[in-house]
Amino acid sequence: MSDATPTLEGLLRELAPQALGAVVRRFRQFDASEDAVQEALAAAAAQWPVEGIPANPRGWLVTVASRRMTDHVRRESARRRREVDDAAHRAADARLAAPADETDPGAAGDDTLTLLFLCCHPSLSAPSQLALTLRAVGGLTTAEIARAFLVPEATMAQRISRAKATIKKAGATFELPPPTERGERLRVVLHVLYLVFNEGYTSTSGPDLQRADLADEAIRLTRAVRRLLPDDGEVAGLLALMLLTDARRAARTGPFGELVALADQDRTRWDRSAIAEGVDLVTETLQTRRLGPYQLQAAIAAVHDEAETAEDTDWLEVLALYDLLAQVGPNPMVTLNRAVARAMVLGPDAGLELLATLDDDERMADHHRLHAVRAHLLEMAGDTEAARAGYLTAARRTLSAPEQRYLEARAAALRD
Amino acid sequence: MKYLLMIYGNDELWSSFPPEVFEEVVRDTNALQAELRESGEFIGAWGVGGQELAKCVHLDNGVPAVTDGPYIEAKEYLGSLDIIDVESEERALEIAARVPFARVGKVEVRPLLHEAAEEI
């Protein structure tokens, strides 16, 4: 993130969770406050370019959103008229003097974290968590989020309002989860940020600009979480993993939007400063914090990023890290990658042997990636016929269009 | 994950409904779509023009040739389609089973290829 020259859009996204935190604190209604802040952001996007950025932009947003909230509450019912007047008074007061929670950056930071926990509430499905996080914490509009997920705006609007209703029904309040639950809830938050990143990073064509934007957004939000929880190794690990992966973005697709495998990428197009930042971060974290899966994945990404050429890759190191990862956070995808690392160090048969352990895993047995990796190792072993069949099987099973084209090309290359 | 629900049938089937049954099917279809809109799972639904409106385009040495048809021999053909965005295949199948035309015709469910590949 370039702090030096923040764009108006960047500024608004930065301020969105802070303003929302202040409004929710005052009015206690997350769903309506969230709408009010979105309206305030839209008003700012229209007015500030013309009238200039106000001296206290956050205060401006809070005031405008509070005014909307006052209107909202006023509309609600006559029975609650007295509360309305009370709220209106307080909103009016805010225009005269900013309350402590608006000027204390600590409180604003805590608000951002509280919002993240709320948006990643366990009662929500993953797509809803993603959408709500991007809107309430990321400050993106519904239209932007809808574009990023390739669904109509009306669909996304419904999804977001339903998510807010679900949170309300689950009785969630605008408070940090109790310390006993915080660790587990933070895992969910990090996973949501990771999914947002993937959604942006893995898109290779179509409206790719908006989607690349999601990767930037995930990095920005993860940076914000890191500022709030500087001592958490996994937060740092996730940020490093994103930076080290995103550094390859430009080299990851060819001129026609096709996927370029890591081994075939033009490494001069990798973003060196992102790599340097990611490597520093993961190196420091691994030495001082409790080991976790994101840190190990970041360390693996760092080994790849530091190799001048694909042939220079320190596969021994990669394998050692995957062996560790298999202990700390085992899952079938880790096994798959570990098999590749084993093949690179010990030969294709050693990799194929490990892959065979996945055949009985019902999550993986039919997964296109198992077929693709096996085909790759068979190709290494010189069994062209079986490799070709494997690539084609994988191509039929993947739901990703670019990946399908890539796998079909691999199969076609083996025909001669 | 986006799924395509294809509702298959034929003229004979569509025209065999008594008016009151047809009205019921329309009503149930509207209700289902409203429900999916509400849940944020609805992308769109389209009826497909009849076979008599179908055209085929084929490039003959680079020159487009347009013909009527195809007048497929198949007993059933595509009548309408829905696109939904759901959490899982299980959910897609559940919705397909609630498409009113599933009672008389057949609903084919296919996942849509998308542009993003899941990352390891």
Side-chain angles (χ1 to χ4, degrees):
Chain A
M1 184 177 45
S2 51
D3 284 322
T5 52
T7 58
L8 177 62
E9 189 183 61
L11 177 65
L12 289 176
R13 288 184 184 176
E14 194 78 41
L15 292 172
Q18 301 174 14
L20 177 53
V23 177
V24 179
R25 275 189 187 288
R26 194 164 305 146
F27 292 91
R28 294 276 131 206
Q29 300 176 25
F30 171 70
D31 50 348
S33 301
E34 207 275 324
D35 285 331
V37 169
Q38 277 283 326
E39 287 177 38
L41 289 170
Q47 285 178 35
W48 293 3
V50 183
E51 296 166 14
I53 294 174
N56 177 0
R58 193 171 91 196
W60 191 99
L61 289 171
V62 171
T63 304
V64 171
S66 298
R67 217 179 281 147
R68 303 277 151 115
M69 275 307 283
T70 310
D71 292 344
H72 167 78
V73 178
R74 191 171 281 148
R75 275 196 307 270
E76 274 208 321
S77 74
R79 189 172 55 81
R80 296 175 60 187
R81 185 72 52 174
R82 285 174 62 86
E83 295 166 58
V84 173
D85 291 340
D86 192 30
H89 277 299
R90 274 182 286 157
D93 292 346
R95 265 166 264 155
L96 300 173
D101 64 350
E102 277 175 52
T103 47
D104 175 8
D110 288 346
D111 281 352
T112 302
L113 200 57
T114 309
L115 277 176
L116 263 171
F117 279 119
L118 199 59
C119 295
C120 301
H121 196 271
S123 65
L124 298 176
S125 69
S128 300
Q129 289 172 333
L130 258 66
L132 197 54
T133 298
L134 286 171
R135 205 174 108 127
V137 189
L140 272 66
T141 65
T142 304
E144 286 170 325
I145 302 166
R147 257 202 317 274
F149 289 92
L150 308 177
V151 303
E153 192 176 340
T155 299
M156 192 48 84
Q158 291 292 355
R159 195 176 290 174
I160 288 170
S161 75
R162 197 178 172 84
K164 289 196 284 189
T166 304
I167 289 182
K168 197 173 179 181
K169 223 166 78 190
T173 53
F174 189 67
E175 276 162 3
L176 285 173
T180 47
E181 290 172 25
R182 212 167 293 171
E184 185 48 38
R185 293 283 301 274
L186 181 63
R187 295 307 134 223
V188 180
V189 169
L190 295 184
H191 187 62
V192 167
L193 294 173
Y194 177 76
L195 291 177
V196 171
F197 176 80
N198 260 349
E199 194 71 33
Y201 178 73
T202 56
S203 68
T204 52
S205 62
D208 53 356
L209 280 177
Q210 287 100 345
R211 293 168 69 85
D213 205 32
L214 280 186
D216 291 338
E217 197 54 29
I219 291 174
R220 186 177 75 79
L221 292 175
T222 309
R223 276 189 203 281
V225 177
R226 178 163 153 71
R227 276 196 296 275
L228 303 169
L229 302 170
D231 294 327
D232 190 288
E234 281 295 86
V235 175
L238 178 60
L239 178 58
L241 175 61
M242 288 178 182
L243 289 167
L244 291 164
T245 308
D246 193 52
R248 304 181 206 132
R249 193 200 285 176
R252 194 172 171 275
T253 46
F256 305 105
E258 73 276 21
L259 276 183
V260 181
L262 185 56
D264 302 322
Q265 288 176 13
D266 173 2
R267 298 183 179 218
T268 61
R269 297 178 68 199
W270 288 359
D271 178 348
R272 293 289 145 194
S273 71
I275 292 174
E277 188 188 351
V279 168
D280 284 352
L281 196 57
V282 72
T283 308
E284 192 213 318
T285 304
L286 279 174
Q287 283 163 359
T288 54
R289 307 277 188 264
R290 207 167 62 119
L291 208 58
Y294 286 125
Q295 294 163 69
L296 284 168
Q297 289 177 74
I300 292 163
V303 176
H304 286 299
D305 284 5
E306 287 184 304
E308 291 279 332
T309 66
E311 292 70 34
D312 291 332
T313 306
D314 186 349
W315 284 104
L316 214 55
E317 177 75 22
V318 172
L319 180 56
L321 289 165
Y322 271 120
D323 286 346
L324 265 176
L325 189 54
Q327 289 170 29
V328 175
N331 70 48
M333 283 300 173
V334 170
T335 310
L336 214 55
N337 289 316
R338 206 170 141 228
V340 175
R342 273 179 77 90
M344 296 307 284
V345 174
L346 304 166
D349 289 342
L352 287 166
E353 197 182 312
L354 183 57
L355 275 192
T357 64
L358 289 174
D359 287 340
D360 297 330
D361 188 323
E362 61 177 32
R363 288 171 298 180
M364 286 307 288
D366 227 18
H367 200 287
H368 68 92
R369 218 176 276 275
L370 175 59
H371 293 283
V373 168
R374 180 173 287 131
H376 178 64
L377 299 190
L378 287 167
E379 186 182 350
M380 273 174 81
D383 189 346
T384 320
E385 205 44 49
R388 202 173 92 80
Y391 283 130
L392 288 175
T393 306
R396 272 198 304 277
R397 278 159 212 252
T398 180
L399 286 177
S400 154
E403 198 161 74
Q404 187 175 68
R405 290 192 288 272
Y406 171 78
L407 291 165
E408 278 166 355
R410 290 292 293 257
L414 289 179
R415 205 156 29 197
D416 311 313
Chain B
M1 172 87 71
K2 296 187 184 66
Y3 282 87
L4 176 65
L5 309 187
M6 289 176 282
I7 293 120
Y8 278 86
N10 55 40
D11 289 340
E12 199 186 337
L13 189 66
W14 313 135
S15 55
S16 68
F17 294 135
E20 63 276 12
V21 174
F22 198 79
E23 268 169 36
E24 184 190 313
V25 164
V26 169
R27 204 169 50 238
D28 291 353
T29 302
N30 289 341
L32 178 63
Q33 288 176 1
E35 187 186 320
L36 295 176
R37 234 179 234 117
E38 172 72 17
S39 68
E41 293 172 312
F42 188 74
I43 301 283
W46 297 268
V48 180
Q51 274 196 308
E52 67 283 2
L53 296 175
K55 297 271 191 294
C56 267
V57 179
H58 169 70
L59 282 186
D60 212 352
N61 279 329
V63 181
V66 181
T67 52
D68 285 346
Y71 300 107
I72 309 165
E73 294 302 313
K75 283 208 193 93
E76 295 182 322
Y77 58 87
L78 186 64
S80 62
L81 56 95
D82 295 356
I83 298 181
I84 54 176
D85 187 19
V86 292
E87 280 260 284
S88 62
E89 184 187 71
E90 203 184 356
R91 174 69 182 146
L93 297 177
E94 185 185 312
I95 292 170
R98 294 187 48 213
V99 170
F101 280 106
R103 295 172 209 153
V104 287
K106 190 166 58 181
V107 181
E108 182 177 331
V109 181
R110 303 272 286 269
L112 288 176
L113 292 188
H114 51 90
E115 291 298 339
E118 73 193 273
E119 198 63 12
I120 294 182

